[in-house]
Amino acid sequence: MSYCTLENLTSLIPMQELINLTNDETLARDVKEINTKQAENAISYADEIINSYLRNKYKLPLKFVPPILTQIAVDLTAFRLYSRRPRKLPEHIKDSYDVAINLLKNIQKETMILDLPHEHPDKEVSKPAPMILTNKGANSKIFSDDVMKGFRL
């Protein structure tokens, strides 16, 4: 299961730009469709990056994809698509990529936790420690109160 879809990508990249980014023909202006193979390759790239950060913290594949992971995947995918072109990378795409990587680092370091408690393998709810039992009582003192009175300073 991918963290984002082509439809998610169109929320960040206009359709004609997405067509241009995914098609390698010299006359991409004449092309009217997204090259889904190139788009899926970029989405797979984003999925692998996300999984590499989540692998040791969550059980994969996730049963539910939180919206924050979808946005991270969109930002990583957009970066991958733009980086396929020799022209200068748009500043907002680079900034979004940097933010996405920092979010993944925070998730990995657990300074940011996804709301998926049932997917977190090593954070099981622990049982409270058993109470300490003893065979001693208030009258089992080695030094009685009378003996202790003799040590007044």
Side-chain angles (χ1 to χ4, degrees):
M1 173 177 68
S2 292
Y3 295 105
C4 75
T5 63
L6 278 174
E7 185 178 317
N8 299 132
L9 278 176
T10 59
S11 69
L12 180 65
I13 304 172
M15 184 59 78
Q16 188 57 49
E17 183 75 4
L18 198 52
I19 291 169
N20 293 340
L21 289 170
T22 58
N23 286 290
D24 294 330
E25 287 95 30
T26 55
L27 299 174
R29 292 175 291 215
D30 298 335
V31 178
K32 303 291 183 212
E33 294 179 5
I34 296 171
N35 180 335
T36 54
K37 183 178 181 194
Q38 288 295 342
E40 288 171 4
N41 286 343
I43 290 171
S44 293
Y45 165 82
D47 291 345
E48 284 304 312
I49 288 178
I50 292 170
N51 285 341
S52 70
Y53 280 94
L54 299 182
R55 190 163 283 120
N56 292 334
K57 301 296 176 187
Y58 295 94
K59 182 179 177 188
L60 299 176
L62 297 177
K63 294 175 187 147
F64 168 75
V65 178
I68 188 74
L69 287 184
T70 299
Q71 187 57 51
I72 289 171
V74 167
D75 293 338
L76 296 175
T77 302
F79 180 84
R80 181 66 168 192
L81 289 172
Y82 275 99
S83 65
R84 294 181 64 242
R85 298 289 176 230
R87 63 184 175 189
K88 185 174 178 173
L89 193 69
E91 197 64 33
H92 72 281
I93 297 295
K94 184 181 179 327
D95 292 343
S96 296
Y97 175 84
D98 292 340
V99 168
I101 293 297
N102 284 331
L103 287 171
L104 288 171
K105 287 178 181 178
N106 288 336
I107 292 169
Q108 186 181 48
K109 291 187 289 189
E110 293 185 348
T111 57
M112 182 176 163
I113 297 177
L114 298 176
D115 190 17
L116 302 169
H118 59 283
E119 310 249 3
H120 213 289
D122 54 351
K123 296 293 182 192
E124 300 289 329
V125 177
S126 60
K127 296 178 182 175
M131 294 179 61
I132 298 173
L133 299 175
T134 179
N135 61 355
K136 303 296 181 196
N139 296 331
S140 323
K141 297 178 183 177
I142 295 175
F143 299 106
S144 68
D145 290 336
D146 293 335
V147 172
M148 294 302 289
K149 285 178 187 174
F151 292 101
R152 284 190 224 175
L153 296 174

